[in-house]
Amino acid sequence: MVFHDTFQHYEVPCNARIAEKTARLAISYINEDRTEGYKLSLNRINRVFGSHQGAAGKVYYLDLDVLETKCYIRSALPWEDCDIRPFVETKVSGTCRAIVHIKPDVSAITCGYNCSLAPDAKENITSICPECLTFITPDSRESMKAVNLTLNKFNKESDESRYFAAAKVIRALSSTLTQPGQDYHVEFTIEETDCIKGRDGIGRSCTFKSPETARTGFCVGDVYIKDGADVEASCELYDPKGPNDAPQGMRDCDSPEGEEAAAVAVDYINAHHAHGYKYALNRIEKLRVLPTGPSSERVILELDLLETKCHVLNPLPLENCTVRELTGHAVEGDCDVKLLRKDGKLSVLAAHCHSSPDSAEDIIKICPDCALLIPLNDTQVVKAVELLLDQYHSTNDVYFTLVEIARAQMQAPNTIIVEFAISATNCSSKDASEHAEACQALSGDQTTFGFCVGSVMHVPNENIHVECEVYAPQPDVVHPVLAKDTVGLLSVPVHGFSHHNLRHSHSSHFNDSSESNSAEVSVACTLSPKLVVKRTVSEPEHPGGVLDPLHPGCPGRALCSQAFSTPVKELQSPFLFPACNDSAVESAVDVALGQINTGRTEGYVLRLNRIFSVLEHPQETSGSVFYLILDVAETECHVLSRRLWKNCKTRPQHKTVFGQCRTTLYINNPKRIAHLHSYECTLRPVPTRSILMLCPDCPIFGCPTEPKYLETAVVSLAKFNSESTEAHYFSVLNVTKASMQWVVGPAYFVEFTIQETSCSRNESIADISKCKPLPFEKAHTGFCKGSVVNSQVDHHQFVNIDCEIYEPQVPAIEKQKETDSHKPGHGGDGSHEDPHHPRRKGAHPHQKHQHRHKQHEEKHPSPTEAKSPVEYIDGNPVLPEVGMPVPDLPDIHGAPDGEKILTEGPGGKLGLIKPKTGPVFLSFPDELSHSDMCPGEPTTSNSFILNLLPRKHIKESPTATPLS
């Protein structure tokens, strides 16, 4: 199948929201269109290309990796709920190429697809699992015997009035080992015959009923034949399917039952969303109803939601809330919800939601001057909220505490717009100015919340404006932030994102989560009583040759149209596309990776595998913002070691953990500024199947939280404590990696961090686990690799341990003072202790270099005490502005363009400062580099690792054919 049209193509990142959504739509369509075989499940998105079709919308070309499930194609289960066929059952996998047309009204049509599937090779299965069953010919004598035995058992035990006969054998497997008996596994379809049980004898020749009236089915049989036959049979039956029937369970999205279920789902989602804003129903994308009992049924919904302007603490009913405009950098949500209707009453069983802002690039095209979302924990945002709260308290008697920063936008050049929630305390503004730490948020019947919108303009003159609405007391509301008894500006978001993500995934409750990404805007629209809105334009004519939607009535209608008439400006891309092997790019990557590793407090030092893509956004003043996509892999160094990534050993092939980091970095060489604005890394281990194929005897990854691995860490650490010369005993802090292998018995391997305790080695301690850890700023920490082998040959336990011990860490502000005191011109003698030279097991606890500072030791910052602004990714603190001192650079104290910062740069030779104002940070762009020199050359020559790296993307070209 060749993808082509007359429009220019552009590549879409595989992890973009639209890519994931169109991939799911394509897989759903493929499963509904196929008439034989099994349902397919999405394994991975390989490549996605888009094409603007003018008024007809957009067309997406997808290249997908798929896996065969255990669900027969006519099963009522959605493909997302089907079990993947495991390796030991001869897995079938392949690729599907699909074309999806997204019309301006956001309805989707799959225009065509082509799938190629193949089972795993027999020799690959038997080499790993000799006892596993493998394929045999479906119409062979052995498979037909197993089918007949299975079918006879079903006909004998079922309550059906007629006999069923086998129609087609789909899968047949048997054991390959020589053994007394023989195992068979068969899967086949059946059809209803005209033979009636009790009337027609077994010897009568039965014929199939007509397709219009015959029931069909799918059977699975496991047969063990030795002296006799042991048979297990399981069949599911399907009613006759008319020529115009929709797939089983599909309903009209605009039906009353769909709107009723959607209303219950939206109420539930808003009730369990503790941060940010309420969401309104945009449209029902899919509705499926499956019977589960005599008086019960399961309702499955796919919903599109839109963020409103009502904060979750706002008591205003949802139907009175206004949806955020597109030009306000709007946020949209997608939710999959499962409900149970029992005796007419609906209840939510599970829900999974995700939200994301509209593309900043799309907003710029419509409204170049509109404010765009920026990270909620940006230093400028936090300072703006402080100023606005102070401004509000100057004219109000009651002192309010910050609950959360809900939204932040920047309007060029220097205006910050913020929205934040507040809660009343028991203090007056005057009392709080002297003793704010004693103020407590009002609770019980006096609980009072408010919501503020304000702006701070710094140029040409500082201009502050804030308006707050205080709600009536809400005695039944307990916000999770206030439940911690925190008062004051303590609620800075613990992430580096720009909105509170509507992410929920649960079986009986929601796991609340707040994240962020970017922001957006449009024309206001008040919700109708049905709470359904949609930004849309008039229906265009769709391109010729596209297929009609498979399900009439889905997606549902939009009740509130928001046509946007502002003329669209065709703007050139704001980015430059430097080569990935450019020296300036390599230096920027070195700085970014150094700051990422310096700021992380958990996990392992990351090394560069390859520069995948780089976009450069020149700034109006000076300098550039780089948007980097880096292929990375874990090294053997823990982040506590503070080693440079280039000085760390790579992990063996079977232990490789790899992935990508998306990094936003501001570089201004003339002013010596380097600021890591944000980053997000996604890592995963080498697939177990790949390890087994490469090294069948290698250790297999285990779960570090399992008790057996914690016990391994404790046992191996006991050996270290008994042999070391440290002043105090150490206790296990965190098990970071775990694996298991069978040697002469079960062998367990662990990597873990340790912390110094208050128990002296001079004391006799029976249970070290009861020793209290020393304060973090005084405690030595360490990183250990241990193993315990329980021999089943001589019934002996072998214990090994190897540890590195690191000096205590101090707050960043103290480190800054110590560094300043030793800069040229500050009285230091220029000598230092190497902070990256840890002591190994057996080293003397006070071992130093021969050259020493006067009353100075280089220490690593404590993330709990660092005074610099903290950014968070995935719940982990990120301290990009903490690094190693550089005594050989000119003094940059009092630099007018930023606060002083010492940052580890290339080779540890670059001292830089963080900007206070100036650079414009966009949400991370979907666009990839157009340079022919991107991706860059890998840093590893290992073919096994190279095969795991993402594929090289195809450059945008007016005459290119993206896929063939």
Side-chain angles (χ1 to χ4, degrees):
M1 177 173 156
V2 178
F3 293 157
H4 65 277
D5 58 29
T6 58
F7 293 89
Q8 184 173 345
H9 299 95
Y10 59 92
E11 188 164 9
V12 179
C14 291
N15 60 352
R17 177 173 175 261
I18 188 63
E20 296 173 354
K21 188 169 184 177
T22 52
R24 286 166 55 91
L25 289 170
I27 295 297
S28 296
Y29 176 86
I30 290 170
N31 285 324
E32 291 159 359
D33 184 67
R34 295 169 71 228
T35 57
E36 293 184 354
Y38 301 86
K39 292 192 176 183
L40 302 178
S41 177
L42 179 64
N43 183 31
R44 182 178 64 176
I45 303 173
N46 284 326
R47 291 181 292 179
V48 181
F49 291 87
S51 175
H52 291 284
Q53 303 287 320
K58 296 180 181 179
V59 173
Y60 293 93
Y61 306 88
L62 301 103
D63 184 3
L64 311 174
D65 277 353
V66 296
L67 295 173
E68 186 181 82
T69 71
K70 293 185 177 183
C71 291
Y72 181 59
I73 202 66
R74 287 204 61 188
S75 170
L77 279 178
W79 64 265
E80 297 93 337
D81 293 344
C82 294
D83 292 332
I84 302 296
R85 198 175 297 281
F87 175 75
V88 295
E89 294 183 15
T90 306
K91 175 174 61 64
V92 175
S93 58
T95 60
C96 287
R97 292 182 171 185
I99 303 174
V100 178
H101 174 213
I102 305 292
K103 298 195 291 186
D105 66 352
V106 198
S107 63
I109 303 170
T110 299
C111 304
Y113 68 92
N114 183 16
C115 295
S116 176
L117 305 173
D120 289 338
K122 181 177 180 179
E123 54 271 19
N124 291 341
I125 300 171
T126 55
S127 64
I128 297 174
C129 180
E131 68 277 9
C132 289
L133 306 185
T134 56
F135 276 130
I136 59 175
T137 306
D139 58 356
S140 66
R141 180 180 177 183
E142 294 86 356
S143 62
M144 293 310 299
K145 182 176 181 180
V147 167
N148 289 332
L149 289 169
T150 303
L151 186 58
N152 288 340
K153 183 172 184 179
F154 168 75
N155 279 324
K156 181 179 179 180
E157 297 179 353
S158 75
D159 295 330
E160 299 298 316
S161 60
R162 295 178 183 268
Y163 288 108
F164 281 74
K168 184 177 182 179
V169 181
I170 306 177
R171 283 175 68 94
L173 302 94
S174 71
S175 56
T176 57
L177 295 179
T178 303
Q179 53 189 9
Q182 189 71 17
D183 285 309
Y184 295 96
H185 176 87
V186 289
E187 299 179 13
F188 56 97
T189 57
I190 57 176
E191 291 185 22
E192 192 175 16
T193 70
D194 59 357
C195 290
I196 299 176
K197 290 182 178 180
R199 187 195 70 181
D200 300 317
I202 297 179
R204 182 180 182 271
S205 177
C206 300
T207 58
F208 290 124
K209 292 180 64 177
S210 65
E212 293 77 16
T213 59
R215 301 185 71 195
T216 58
F218 174 72
C219 295
V220 177
D222 288 291
V223 180
Y224 177 70
I225 300 176
K226 190 179 179 183
D227 298 330
D230 183 11
V231 182
E232 292 184 6
S234 174
C235 298
E236 60 180 17
L237 300 179
Y238 315 118
D239 291 328
K241 184 177 180 180
N244 298 318
D245 286 348
Q248 188 170 357
M250 298 302 298
R251 303 291 176 86
D252 185 350
C253 289
D254 289 329
S255 63
E257 63 178 340
E259 294 181 350
E260 179 189 8
V264 172
V266 171
D267 287 345
Y268 185 86
I269 291 166
N270 283 323
H272 290 81
H273 184 44
H275 303 276
Y277 300 84
K278 297 178 182 180
Y279 280 78
L281 178 64
N282 181 21
R283 72 166 73 233
I284 302 172
E285 289 285 347
K286 184 181 290 187
L287 169 64
R288 200 166 197 172
V289 180
L290 304 173
T292 58
S295 60
S296 64
E297 58 188 13
R298 183 171 57 169
V299 181
I300 302 172
L301 293 169
E302 289 185 17
L303 306 176
D304 272 357
L305 305 179
L306 294 178
E307 184 187 74
T308 72
K309 293 185 177 181
C310 290
H311 191 267
V312 293
L313 294 175
N314 191 330
L316 194 67
L318 181 60
E319 56 265 27
N320 296 333
C321 294
T322 300
V323 171
R324 197 174 299 278
E325 310 89 347
L326 175 63
T327 51
H329 211 159
V331 176
E332 299 184 13
D334 292 312
C335 289
D336 295 326
V337 187
K338 296 178 182 178
L339 304 95
L340 176 67
R341 187 193 303 273
K342 189 169 184 179
D343 298 325
K345 185 178 180 181
L346 281 166
S347 59
V348 176
L349 297 176
H352 177 75
C353 298
H354 175 73
S355 61
S356 60
D358 289 339
S359 166
E361 288 74 19
D362 289 346
I363 295 173
I364 291 174
K365 291 179 181 179
I366 297 173
C367 179
D369 299 325
C370 285
L372 299 177
L373 290 177
I374 58 176
L376 300 173
N377 65 334
D378 188 286
T379 306
Q380 299 177 81
V381 173
V382 176
K383 289 183 177 180
V385 172
E386 291 176 346
L387 289 172
L388 294 169
L389 260 181
D390 289 343
Q391 174 78 7
Y392 179 72
H393 287 142
S394 67
T395 58
N396 289 271
D397 293 334
V398 178
Y399 179 71
F400 283 79
T401 181
L402 178 67
V403 174
E404 70 177 23
I405 300 174
R407 174 173 263 260
Q409 294 171 268
M410 174 180 284
Q411 191 165 25
N414 287 291
T415 300
I416 302 296
I417 303 169
V418 291
E419 300 178 9
F420 53 96
I422 56 177
S423 179
T425 69
N426 58 352
C427 294
S428 66
S429 297
K430 181 179 179 181
D431 294 339
S433 63
E434 300 174 356
H435 304 289
E437 68 279 357
C439 299
Q440 298 293 323
L442 298 178
S443 58
D445 294 341
Q446 296 180 314
T447 301
T448 304
F449 295 106
F451 187 72
C452 301
V453 179
S455 62
V456 176
M457 179 184 295
H458 294 289
V459 178
N461 299 311
E462 188 169 78
N463 188 349
I464 300 175
H465 177 74
V466 62
E467 292 183 2
C468 297
E469 178 185 5
V470 178
Y471 308 134
Q474 302 178 60
D476 297 328
V477 177
V478 179
H479 194 276
V481 175
L482 299 184
K484 300 175 183 177
D485 262 348
T486 56
V487 174
L489 288 175
L490 302 179
S491 304
V492 178
V494 288
H495 45 69
F497 299 103
S498 57
H499 84 286
H500 292 282
N501 198 342
L502 183 68
R503 187 184 296 278
H504 302 302
S505 183
H506 79 121
S507 295
S508 58
H509 62 281
F510 271 90
N511 295 320
D512 294 330
S513 168
S514 293
E515 297 180 357
S516 314
N517 279 339
S518 78
E520 3 213 317
V521 205
S522 157
V523 178
C525 173
T526 303
L527 299 181
S528 70
K530 289 188 177 181
L531 309 182
V532 181
V533 297
K534 184 60 188 177
R535 299 194 301 269
T536 185
V537 295
S538 59
E539 173 81 14
E541 294 182 3
H542 59 69
V546 297
L547 304 181
D548 291 331
L550 182 64
H551 308 303
C554 282
R557 65 186 183 280
L559 298 188
C560 179
S561 175
Q562 298 186 30
F564 192 81
S565 59
T566 300
V568 176
K569 294 184 179 181
E570 290 294 335
L571 301 180
Q572 293 183 348
S573 172
F575 302 115
L576 302 178
F577 307 103
C580 284
N581 60 356
D582 184 273
S583 59
V585 170
E586 292 177 343
S587 297
V589 168
D590 211 8
V591 171
L593 203 53
Q595 291 195 20
I596 289 172
N597 286 323
T598 302
R600 296 170 68 227
T601 59
E602 295 181 357
Y604 295 81
V605 173
L606 300 177
R607 68 173 177 86
L608 181 67
N609 260 343
R610 182 181 62 177
I611 303 174
F612 187 74
S613 175
V614 55
L615 305 181
E616 181 180 357
H617 186 197
Q619 301 298 293
E620 290 185 2
T621 53
S622 61
S624 292
V625 175
F626 290 89
Y627 298 91
L628 307 168
I629 301 179
L630 309 177
D631 291 331
V632 298
E634 284 185 352
T635 66
E636 292 195 347
C637 297
H638 195 273
V639 293
L640 291 176
S641 71
R642 299 303 183 200
R643 286 193 180 96
L644 297 177
W645 65 269
K646 291 183 178 180
N647 298 334
C648 294
K649 292 182 180 180
T650 59
R651 288 191 173 271
Q653 294 181 7
H654 65 278
K655 293 183 179 180
T656 299
V657 175
F658 65 101
Q660 278 193 339
C661 290
R662 291 173 173 253
T663 304
T664 304
L665 178 74
Y666 174 58
I667 294 287
N668 189 326
N669 285 322
K671 297 183 178 180
R672 301 186 66 71
I673 296 175
H675 172 47
L676 180 65
H677 176 69
S678 64
Y679 74 89
E680 182 178 25
C681 296
T682 303
L683 304 173
R684 64 186 178 93
V686 174
T688 301
R689 177 189 173 192
S690 298
I691 296 176
L692 292 174
M693 294 180 66
L694 176 73
C695 175
D697 298 326
C698 285
I700 301 300
F701 287 116
C703 179
T705 58
E706 289 187 30
K708 61 184 177 184
Y709 293 116
L710 177 59
E711 181 183 355
T712 301
V714 172
V715 171
S716 55
L717 182 61
K719 181 177 182 180
F720 170 80
N721 280 323
S722 66
E723 297 175 352
S724 77
T725 58
E726 299 294 328
H728 295 84
Y729 288 110
F730 283 74
S731 61
V732 176
L733 191 61
N734 185 29
V735 179
T736 57
K737 284 191 183 296
S739 59
M740 186 266 181
Q741 182 183 27
W742 191 272
V743 189
V744 292
Y748 300 100
F749 305 90
V750 291
E751 297 180 13
F752 56 98
T753 53
I754 58 176
Q755 184 169 339
E756 190 176 13
T757 70
S758 58
C759 294
S760 171
R761 286 182 50 81
N762 297 326
E763 305 174 27
S764 177
I765 306 299
D767 186 359
I768 296 177
S769 64
K770 295 183 179 180
C771 296
K772 293 183 178 180
L774 288 175
F776 198 72
E777 65 273 10
K778 296 181 180 180
H780 289 80
T781 55
F783 175 66
C784 300
K785 296 181 179 180
S787 65
V788 174
V789 180
N790 298 304
S791 173
Q792 294 189 358
V793 176
D794 54 8
H795 304 288
H796 181 72
Q797 187 178 72
F798 299 92
V799 180
N800 287 308
I801 184 72
D802 183 29
C803 296
E804 290 182 350
I805 304 299
Y806 311 121
E807 295 299 320
Q809 300 185 14
V810 297
I813 191 69
E814 296 299 325
K815 177 179 177 177
Q816 183 73 51
K817 291 179 180 177
E818 292 176 359
T819 302
D820 292 345
S821 68
H822 292 88
K823 288 185 66 63
H826 289 79
D829 59 6
S831 58
H832 68 284
E833 180 188 13
D834 184 359
H836 303 289
H837 185 74
R839 290 180 281 109
R840 283 200 171 267
K841 177 188 70 173
H844 192 276
H846 300 293
Q847 176 182 354
K848 308 273 187 192
H849 292 292
Q850 292 182 355
H851 59 287
R852 296 175 55 186
H853 283 300
K854 184 177 180 181
Q855 295 182 340
H856 170 69
E857 291 180 18
E858 186 57 52
K859 298 179 172 68
H860 301 297
S862 166
T864 59
E865 298 182 354
K867 302 300 182 182
S868 53
V870 182
E871 298 178 356
Y872 290 78
I873 297 293
D874 296 334
N876 297 321
V878 177
L879 305 175
E881 50 272 38
V882 178
M884 57 183 289
V886 187
D888 57 339
L889 280 175
D891 184 11
I892 53 174
H893 284 76
D897 296 289
E899 40 189 71
K900 182 164 182 289
I901 173 172
L902 297 169
T903 303
E904 179 179 284
K909 299 296 184 181
L910 188 61
L912 301 164
I913 58 177
K914 173 184 173 182
K916 282 186 176 179
T917 60
V920 175
F921 296 103
L922 305 175
S923 60
F924 203 95
D926 293 337
E927 190 173 8
L928 295 177
S929 174
H930 296 183
S931 171
D932 291 333
M933 301 305 294
C934 286
E937 291 298 320
T939 59
T940 177
S941 59
N942 188 305
S943 59
F944 177 76
I945 302 301
L946 291 177
N947 289 333
L948 299 175
L949 295 179
R951 298 183 183 182
K952 181 173 181 177
H953 57 278
I954 298 176
K955 310 301 181 299
E956 192 173 341
S957 172
T959 59
T961 300
L963 299 173
S964 59

